[in-house]
Amino acid sequence: MEEDSGADGAGPAASTDRRNPGDQARPGSKQTGMVSCPECHGSGRQANRPCPNCGGTGEVVQIVGDA
Ligand SMILES: [Zn+2]
């Protein structure tokens, strides 16, 4: 079990676009829109911490395509 620094497989992609666990798609994708996070109801917070679902933004990207 050795972790070599090879760029093989699905590693953590250091991309510029931020995605949160609650996002269904990448921001800016077609047929997507920002909706209030169902976990924090748009507040961006849960208890005293930033909502992990939306990353504290209070919104998540949801696919709104109705095709
Ligand atoms: Zn949230």
Side-chain angles (χ1 to χ4, degrees):
M1 271 201 174
E2 273 190 31
E3 280 276 320
D4 216 332
S5 59
D8 197 17
S15 63
T16 51
D17 47 19
R18 296 180 46 192
R19 278 192 64 170
N20 297 311
D23 292 340
Q24 290 186 356
R26 191 175 58 199
S29 299
K30 285 184 180 177
Q31 294 189 317
T32 61
M34 302 301 291
V35 298
S36 290
C37 174
E39 298 291 321
C40 64
H41 306 285
S43 70
R45 301 182 68 83
Q46 284 191 6
N48 292 324
R49 336 192 65 172
C51 173
N53 192 52
C54 59
T57 63
E59 292 178 315
V60 293
V61 180
Q62 198 165 69
I63 297 172
V64 295
D66 56 351

